Amino acid sequence: MATDSARRTRRLRLAGRYLVLILAAAIVLFPIYITVVDALLSPQQVVTRPPTLFPTSPHWGTFATAFKEGNLGVYLRNSAIVTLAITVAELLTSVLAAYAFVFLRFPGRNILFVASLATLMVPFEATLIPNYQTIQKFGLFNTYPALVLPFIASGVGIFLFRQAFLGFPREIRDAARLDGCGHVKFLFRMVAPINRPVLAAFSLFAFLTSWNQYLWPLVVTQTNSVRTVQIGLRQLSLTNFNQLDVVFAGTILAALPIGVLLFVFQRQLVAGLTAGALKG
Amino acid sequence: MTENDWDRTAGAKEGGASLGRHVISRRDLLRGATAAGIGAGLTLLVPGAASAAASKFPLGAAAKAKSKPAVITMWHSMTSANLTTLTNLTNQFNSSQSDVHVNLVAQTSYTDTLTAYTTALSGGTLPDVVQWENELIQILIDSQSVVPAASAIAADHYSFSDFVPSMVDYFKVDGTQWAMPFNISSQVLYYDQNALTKAGLDPTNPPANLAALRAAAQKIVSSGAAKYGMSLKLDYTNFELWMALGGQTFLNDNNGRSGRATAVTFDDSLGKSIFDWWGGMLKDNLAQSTSFTAFDNLLAIGSGIAPITIDTSAALGTIISVLSGGQYPNVKLGVTSLPLPTAKRSKKGGAFVGGAGLYMVKKSTPATVDASWQFIKFLASPQSQATWASGTGYVPIRKSAVNLAPLAATWAAQPGFKVAYKQLLASPPNPATAGSVTGAAPELLVAINNALTTLASGGSPESAIAQAAQNSNTAISSYNERV
Amino acid sequence: MTPRFIRRAREAALAYLLILPAVAAFGLFVFYPLVKTAYLGFFLAPPTPNLPSHYVGLQQYQQVLGSSDFRDSLGRTGLFVLLTVPAGIVLGLALANLAQKKVPGIRAFRTIYSSTVATSVAVASVVFFTLLNPEVGLLSYLFGKEGGNGILADPHWALPAVALVTIWQNIGFTFILMSAALQSLPEDVLEASKVDGASSFVRFRQITLPLLSPILFFAAVIGVISGFQAFGQIDLLTQGGPNHATLVLIYDLYQQAFQFNNPGYAAVLSVALFFILLLLTFAQFWFFQRRVSYGD
């Protein structure tokens, strides 16, 4: 008897757990679910009430419409170019700078490092207007360089990599030096490969951050030729207000690359997100 | 929201759309920029002509230039059907003579034009002709970068006798005629005739003033013909127009035209009565508020929620095509002039123009400045205006254009297009009907729209208009300080 | 020139070369603009950039920072942060805790809870803008609020609505963060407390929370900073309206600079934003330094 009731309470508790889990999942997933469903409906179906919650005859062509007429293809290309450029630049400049801060001695090393860290305290918005004016003055308004140049360096990157490089075993470094290993070789053959996880985590972080940029691309671009996908999405939602299915399809196209990337690199993502936090 | 927002969304499929917000465009037709650069280098540089507009307008310089044609760039914000019409007119001009060649550059929205222009002012390449939204006129004047049309008009002995006076007067500030009108529109009353009939009203006799409008809305609601009598778009233009129709200025110093405006005058008894009316309509659920940036008010006519609304005449073309598409079979569109703010018509009252004018940018080569004038004259000619108005739904600025083909035919087929024209034609020329001018126009837009929004959420009309006046005055004085 | 000096010089030269790109970028795009922004605040910006600007010293700073408009924007920004940060952290932690249970299929639930991390501000805002549209939005329909102006045009509910969208968009990130933190908690301490017979709630409060405090602190700091920088969702959902209900500091900045062509005013706001964030970050560090326990 006792085990029966114990089993029953256990089952009830399990059912209760599942209920809460499902409820929470439904709430979190609802907007995404609707987006996917509505992207596959016809424009009339999207606005009819009561709402259609499952696409019985999915319109797969809407994605093509969003890609071409909705210009998502162009926007994705622009975002890809800009984000890749920024990620590579930030990775490179941070690795090189961190290496110098750790393995080289030079006057002003500490000040320059503190200055690099200090950039973390400066929100981008505080520098928005002069940066905009700088871009204007160099005639770079509405160009790829305008989107990339302000972000070729990263204080986060320098900090993270310096932390990582500091942990490089001294003995190996001394041994390499004795072997006559120059700095360049040391960096690219030994330091970088060993720190691949943190390099990967940072790259992912840099990629994500720059892909999701909104304010800067908004003020510095004006035509579709350089517009990134976030601003392009804004454009789409305004011009196609009577074609909600296309808007939703565009949203999915805009989110898909990141979704795939994050899914593939989820371990690195977790590591990257928690690297700074957990290490206190 | 301006008439241009309609152009932008009209061809939602092919055009770009900006609902009056920043940085939205679909076009990148920069071919003009390079050509203009080459052209500027080719044309003869007359020594000492650093500021071509300084003393005398270089009339005829394009024809006399050694290297022809003088290539000029025009920045505009037209999209879809309007863009097509403009392009055709431009091609016609280019092929009709060999002195001037015009390259069009699309900015897609007036805000984009403003941004691109101010960017160019800090060291980029300016166009030769710019289509500039009416409300922003003072900003362009204050930029000191344009040649007043007045100098060209004087040199060319240009006559305005065939022009609709109110359309020309808009661009006259402090005695100087700064620009030529180009694409002009006005706000009109749109309504569903069938819904009015259902409510027991005479569709051929739509409400002529605010009191009648309220009565009509009451009948519509109580008869069950629709949920609301009308949609009131949260648009400051409606308020400005009612003030003008009532013969009152909006700002002091004759609406900013005899001197720089320093304060608003719209918080007088007429303005307060308009706010009272507006607040009352919303409070009594006779009207619904719709957003400034969306087209819900027009959609509401189609869906039967609210069969009356006020919006720009430039939307008419799109509305007609949407209705003929069969989505709203029960709607029979009626178009009429705006209801007056008072029962008794004010002799001084009249509507001011919406839209944009064409400005000549200061350039160091006289040939290009003259070329700009030649192109502007072409666009302002009766035949061009007939073609333009017919293809776009804008009203012609030349009185003689209404009898020319293709406009005469278009208007015969769609009499609704005549409403805005007649409304503007009937506007007596005076500071009130000329429309207000201030560099703080963007801030005033926000201030008044915000005040109207408080009406929409149940605020009192007295405090709303007081808030609008206070914020507007602050914005105006802060702008004036910066000049 | 001793050989040692030459070696050191060469080392320094290499070092400067390596840090040059980063330092140049920081100089040109971070430090110079920071100073320039403060400098811009001393001038009344002309209507267009080709005209000269008037020097007014501290007058513009006084005018802007002393204005009720600024106080209101600041208040709204603070309110927005208050609405998004605590709720976001609590929800993320609750979900993470929920998803710790080892029931079959929990992996799927974990993926679902972290899914919003793939959404950007633009994606989330566009989706919700459509869902909340009064005419055709699904959420409006479900909550029976069809017609009218919708929640985004309601002066009382616009800011909470934007906050809700922000919370939803951040749930994925917070969930992942909290999950990682929970998973890194020392098993032995948790087991020991269970054996001691403490109730799960007490356990959570006395043991888990203090162990989590570093990550909670991190989430709070990040949350406050990004809350102050929230822009995209406001631009897409309400554009600062209705009637300034969602006009947070940074949107005010954007409007002044790019819609009213008043970079002088906007510069003052930029400086204010910078110092406020600096202050808040230090305040948080100071406030939490005693409460955060970094276990030994």
Side-chain angles (χ1 to χ4, degrees), chain A residues 44 68-71 75 132-133 136-137 139 141-142 214 217-225 227 231 234-235 238-243, chain B residues 8-9 12-13 15-19 21-28 30 107 111-113 115-116 118-120 122-124 295 299 327:
Chain A
Q44 288 84 9
K68 243 186 110 228
E69 281 92 353
N71 283 303
Y75 301 143
Y132 181 74
Q133 291 176 340
Q136 275 184 325
K137 242 171 240 150
F141 184 73
N142 201 48
Y214 189 88
L218 178 66
V219 305
V220 108
T221 63
Q222 207 176 4
T223 59
N224 280 349
S225 57
R227 204 166 261 148
I231 308 304
R234 172 187 195 255
Q235 174 90 348
L238 293 171
T239 64
N240 292 66
F241 58 90
N242 58 336
Q243 284 175 289
Chain B
R8 291 174 233 140
T9 46
K13 260 199 236 161
S18 160
L19 300 172
R21 281 154 44 185
H22 182 73
V23 197
I24 301 179
S25 86
R26 274 189 62 127
R27 302 296 161 105
D28 185 22
L30 281 172
Q107 301 291 349
T111 2
D112 283 359
T113 305
T115 311
T118 46
T119 301
S122 49
F295 311 106
L299 291 172
Q327 226 180 329

Side-chain angles (χ1 to χ4, degrees), chain C residues 93-131:
Chain C
L93 188 58
L95 278 180
N97 200 35
L98 193 67
Q100 288 287 82
K101 321 289 182 194
K102 297 192 179 43
V103 291
I106 196 69
R107 283 276 294 282
F109 285 106
R110 307 261 287 270
T111 315
I112 290 177
Y113 296 149
S114 34
S115 61
T116 74
V117 81
T119 62
S120 63
V121 159
V123 165
S125 303
V126 168
V127 168
F128 271 90
F129 182 71
T130 325
L131 286 178

Side-chain angles (χ1 to χ4, degrees), chain A residues 242-265:
Chain A
N242 58 336
Q243 284 175 289
L244 292 176
D245 56 331
V246 178
V247 177
F248 281 126
T251 316
I252 294 177
L253 286 176
L256 209 57
I258 289 294
V260 166
L261 203 74
L262 289 176
F263 185 74
V264 170
F265 292 107

Side-chain angles (χ1 to χ4, degrees), chain B residues 45-126:
Chain B
L45 265 166
V46 177
S51 161
S55 45
K56 196 162 176 341
F57 189 81
L59 192 64
K64 287 189 238 155
K66 279 221 191 103
S67 49
K68 293 204 220 175
V71 181
I72 58 171
T73 318
M74 168 159 143
W75 284 8
H76 67 91
S77 317
M78 304 286 88
T79 60
S80 55
N82 300 354
L83 172 63
T84 316
T85 316
L86 180 61
T87 312
N88 291 340
L89 278 172
T90 309
N91 291 340
Q92 193 188 325
F93 177 73
N94 285 338
S95 50
S96 72
Q97 43 76 46
S98 55
D99 293 336
V100 180
H101 184 85
V102 181
N103 289 317
L104 293 176
V105 175
Q107 301 291 349
T108 308
S109 80
Y110 291 137
T111 2
D112 283 359
T113 305
L114 176 62
T115 311
Y117 195 84
T118 46
T119 301
L121 278 175
S122 49
T125 317
L126 289 166

